[in-house]
Amino acid sequence: MPLQPWYHEGLKFRCTCCGRCCTGDPGYVWVNRSETKALAQSLGLTPLEFEKAFLRSVGHRKSLIELPNGDCVFFDRQSRRCRVYPYRPRQCRSWPFWESNLRSPQDWQRTCQRCPGSGTGPTVPLDEIVALLQIIHM
């Protein structure tokens, strides 16, 4: 019988729309070509125009730029919402179910301390967590 992950009974999560995952410390929001195309189209731009305005190169990868205060370029501080939410990158869609947050119960507890939606709300079942983990490995 294969070993089940420590979170085999699922984990509680409900996004509170606090914006903490979109603000604060510098980091990377990786985007691929299809995400770049969808984001560009949502803003009425060509992919090249979008790339010049909103992406930075990090090695051979592309990341959304950040404002000087660490906020994502698409985070609206006034409304506390993402301006491109329906088209947000897979990295954003899969939060908080990243490998780095699920390595151990202690890692999940640290995530719960940073993200008020983690550890609250309905239980996300194991199969959904596994699907989200497969979207991107963080």
Side-chain angles (χ1 to χ4, degrees), residues 58-130:
V58 182
H60 66 280
R61 299 166 78 184
K62 302 287 183 184
S63 176
L64 294 177
I65 62 170
E66 295 171 321
L67 302 178
N69 65 358
D71 289 2
C72 174
V73 67
F74 292 116
F75 182 71
D76 182 324
R77 274 226 173 237
Q78 197 161 19
S79 69
R80 308 289 304 165
R81 299 281 190 266
C82 174
R83 294 187 295 124
V84 294
Y85 189 83
Y87 307 96
R88 70 197 186 282
R90 67 199 185 287
Q91 181 176 335
C92 303
R93 292 176 189 275
S94 61
W95 173 264
F97 300 107
W98 297 350
E99 285 179 356
S100 58
N101 295 336
L102 301 178
R103 278 188 219 123
S104 70
Q106 295 78 17
D107 289 321
W108 180 249
Q109 284 307 311
R110 279 190 286 281
T111 302
C112 293
Q113 290 169 0
R114 291 189 320 264
C115 171
S118 297
T120 66
T123 299
V124 179
L126 178 61
D127 61 331
E128 287 182 39
I129 294 171
V130 168

Side-chain angles (χ1 to χ4, degrees), residues 21-84:
C21 56
C22 307
T23 61
D25 294 334
Y28 302 103
V29 177
W30 305 112
V31 293
N32 62 27
R33 285 188 184 136
S34 64
E35 291 168 326
T36 297
K37 184 177 178 182
L39 285 161
Q41 190 173 29
S42 77
L43 297 170
L45 302 172
T46 67
L48 185 57
E49 291 169 330
F50 179 85
E51 186 171 334
K52 286 181 179 180
F54 298 108
L55 297 182
R56 60 185 163 142
S57 293
V58 182
H60 66 280
R61 299 166 78 184
K62 302 287 183 184
S63 176
L64 294 177
I65 62 170
E66 295 171 321
L67 302 178
N69 65 358
D71 289 2
C72 174
V73 67
F74 292 116
F75 182 71
D76 182 324
R77 274 226 173 237
Q78 197 161 19
S79 69
R80 308 289 304 165
R81 299 281 190 266
C82 174
R83 294 187 295 124
V84 294

